[in-house]
Amino acid sequence: MTTEKLVPPFAVIPGSQVHSILTGREQQTIAMVEAAYRVHGEGDTVNPPSYFLRFQDRPSSRIIALPASIGGETRVDGLKWISSFPENVAAGIPRASAVLVLNDHDTGYPIACLESSIISAARTAASAALAADRLSRAPGRTRPRRVGFIGTGLIARHIHTYLAGSGWSFDEVGVHDLSAEYAGGFRTYLEGAGESGTITLHDSAEELIRSSDLVIFATVAAAPHVHEPAWFAHNPLVLNVSLRDLAPEVLLASANVLDDVEHCLKADTSPHLTEKLTGGREFIDGTLYEVMEGKVEIPADRPVVFSPFGLGVLDLAVGKFVYDEVMGSGDAQVIDGFFHEVDRYGRAGATSSRS
């Protein structure tokens, strides 16, 4: 076998292809994310700590590297490189942008670079929808009929899409955002998406939380702004997707489920602040994988907070699915000759680039 046949082709997959493949496949994507959580829970992954690149001249911005490797049926390695520049919003462009690089399991060669803001949003929304389903199944808890969104950007829209796409329906939908314009835009989105529940714009987070059985935080908050456990006295299910909205007092009065303990307890997330305040991890009830495996019981007499830091293995699982679909369709944009030297020894007559 020639060396050029050993080296896999390299493809670039733009957001248009990613969007086309994932749209309408919410249930399938949730199943992929669930399978990835199981592979991770069984120990067949490598998911080291994320690396945060921060800037002295742009303190509100960051770029995060999430290296990971997943086994099971996916068998791929890779890296998500995702930026968060909040000042973009004022300029009318999205806060986050991302790429995902996939590496071949056998040779380590990069096989694709995918636009990944959509993949990241999809896996985040799929994780949230999966958690909402699993955590609301606990004895004594009922499936929420009133949902509230705090934060109304791309992630909130994706979470609503994934909830609706996996069979959820609501009698009431609450919306709160610091920007009345964004809140109104989200209402327009909900109406256009065919939301049948009564849509209410709330002036305060307290008003929304008290009137919701399922509370979804999808903000860009850098520090806790919700401090009152009394707002959660009706024991709602809380998806703490943006991770930094809730003060430790709220978590200490709740049951807490994480996607991965070590990953969540860093970067001043709400669970991390709670650990620093208490000096321990006793407030953590377990992981979503442990809930799915029946190893953790969810109480009915306390609020339940799900805090997902976001695992790189989830991006790999969804990204590899997109890659396989694009390559299988014959529509892949393969970059011929991307790897110039493909013969280690430089033998005379050996092919030095792909053609």
Side-chain angles (χ1 to χ4, degrees), residues 27-41:
Q27 292 190 25
Q28 188 173 0
T29 305
I30 292 170
M32 277 187 274
V33 166
E34 179 176 356
Y37 273 133
R38 292 189 184 279
V39 173
H40 182 66

Side-chain angles (χ1 to χ4, degrees), residues 133-212:
D133 178 51
R134 294 289 180 164
L135 296 175
S136 64
R137 293 186 187 184
R141 302 194 72 90
T142 58
R143 195 169 178 89
R145 300 296 305 172
R146 303 178 300 165
V147 63
F149 290 87
I150 298 180
T152 57
L154 175 71
I155 297 300
R157 293 199 304 273
H158 270 74
I159 292 174
H160 177 267
T161 297
Y162 272 73
L163 288 171
S166 56
W168 286 79
S169 62
F170 300 99
D171 299 327
E172 300 176 23
V173 181
V175 177
H176 172 68
D177 196 289
L178 293 178
S179 166
E181 179 185 357
Y182 295 158
F186 191 65
R187 178 174 192 160
T188 300
Y189 154 75
L190 291 171
E191 292 170 344
E195 175 57 55
S196 59
T198 301
I199 303 171
T200 303
L201 302 186
H202 293 277
D203 293 330
S204 69
E206 177 183 1
E207 186 180 85
L208 180 141
I209 291 167
R210 289 186 182 274
S211 62
S212 302

Side-chain angles (χ1 to χ4, degrees), residues 48-228:
S50 303
Y51 181 81
F52 287 71
L53 177 62
R54 300 185 184 276
F55 316 97
Q56 291 184 353
D57 61 332
R58 292 156 290 168
S60 67
S61 301
R62 64 183 186 270
I63 307 179
I64 310 173
L66 288 81
S69 174
I70 184 169
E73 297 181 0
T74 306
R75 285 168 54 86
V76 72
D77 314 319
L79 171 78
K80 180 169 77 168
W81 182 239
I82 182 167
S83 67
S84 175
F85 278 52
E87 303 305 319
N88 287 353
V89 175
I93 61 176
R95 171 185 60 86
S97 57
V99 295
L100 176 68
V101 176
L102 301 180
N103 293 74
D104 179 61
H105 177 274
D106 296 326
T107 67
Y109 270 77
I111 56 177
C113 178
L114 300 87
E115 195 285 330
S116 195
S117 66
I118 298 171
I119 290 173
S120 184
R123 66 87 154 144
T124 299
S127 170
L130 174 65
D133 178 51
R134 294 289 180 164
L135 296 175
S136 64
R137 293 186 187 184
R141 302 194 72 90
T142 58
R143 195 169 178 89
R145 300 296 305 172
R146 303 178 300 165
V147 63
F149 290 87
I150 298 180
T152 57
L154 175 71
I155 297 300
R157 293 199 304 273
H158 270 74
I159 292 174
H160 177 267
T161 297
Y162 272 73
L163 288 171
S166 56
W168 286 79
S169 62
F170 300 99
D171 299 327
E172 300 176 23
V173 181
V175 177
H176 172 68
D177 196 289
L178 293 178
S179 166
E181 179 185 357
Y182 295 158
F186 191 65
R187 178 174 192 160
T188 300
Y189 154 75
L190 291 171
E191 292 170 344
E195 175 57 55
S196 59
T198 301
I199 303 171
T200 303
L201 302 186
H202 293 277
D203 293 330
S204 69
E206 177 183 1
E207 186 180 85
L208 180 141
I209 291 167
R210 289 186 182 274
S211 62
S212 302
D213 307 313
L214 173 62
V215 182
I216 299 168
F217 285 94
T219 75
V220 294
H225 57 96
V226 175
H227 298 266
E228 295 295 334

Side-chain angles (χ1 to χ4, degrees), residues 236-300:
L237 172 58
V238 181
L239 303 182
N240 184 30
V241 176
S242 41
L243 282 175
R244 294 173 177 84
D245 301 85
L246 300 175
E249 297 91 330
V250 175
L251 268 62
L252 290 173
S254 306
N256 290 279
V257 177
L258 284 54
D259 61 350
D260 183 283
V261 174
E262 295 300 329
H263 280 77
C264 279
L265 296 179
K266 61 169 62 71
D268 286 338
T269 63
S270 295
H272 186 206
L273 294 177
T274 306
E275 180 192 34
K276 290 198 289 187
L277 176 67
T278 63
R281 301 179 175 183
E282 292 78 11
F283 67 95
I284 299 172
D285 291 75
T287 65
L288 183 59
Y289 168 73
E290 291 171 329
V291 172
M292 293 190 297
E293 289 293 297
K295 298 177 180 179
V296 171
E297 295 184 3
I298 301 301

